[in-house]
Amino acid sequence: QEITIPDGVIPSFSFYKLYIMAQRRFGTVLRDNAVHEMHEQVLKSLGVMACYVSKGYIYKCISEKTGLSTRTISYILNHTRKHNADLI
């Protein structure tokens, strides 16, 4: 699929990011939502200590549950949002 950009419009990074996010498959969005939920659960279980624990430890906890790589988990948590499944 090609995207057409109207004349006189200069594409920006945010424009590109919106285009990429619109291309994500339904299953990928569900997986991303599951990772966001696991992240919230891990932070909740750590309580006050969540401020002192490294991201690597949190990513490792999620990785053990999902089998995803640390790189994939960090991409999901840093570059995606949790979507309402009813609106997808």
Side-chain angles (χ1 to χ4, degrees):
Q1 276 182 344
E2 292 232 1
I3 188 166
T4 57
I5 301 170
D7 290 337
V9 175
I10 300 171
S12 63
F13 176 74
S14 60
F15 179 82
Y16 177 74
K17 188 174 178 182
L18 287 173
Y19 173 70
I20 294 300
M21 295 304 285
Q23 300 299 316
R24 294 177 73 79
R25 293 183 292 172
F26 181 72
T28 305
V29 173
L30 292 178
R31 180 199 67 189
D32 294 352
N33 285 348
V35 170
H36 282 287
E37 288 175 14
M38 285 182 219
H39 183 254
E40 291 171 8
Q41 290 173 354
V42 170
L43 292 179
K44 230 180 247 184
S45 69
L46 289 171
V48 177
M49 293 302 294
C51 299
Y52 304 106
V53 174
S54 70
K55 286 183 182 180
Y57 175 79
I58 296 170
Y59 294 169
K60 185 178 175 188
C61 291
I62 296 170
S63 178
E64 290 172 354
K65 293 178 185 178
T66 62
L68 296 172
S69 70
T70 303
R71 186 173 179 178
T72 302
I73 294 167
S74 68
Y75 176 82
I76 292 169
L77 294 176
N78 295 320
H79 298 286
T80 65
R81 293 179 301 184
K82 186 175 178 184
H83 294 280
N84 186 354
D86 298 336
L87 300 177
I88 299 173

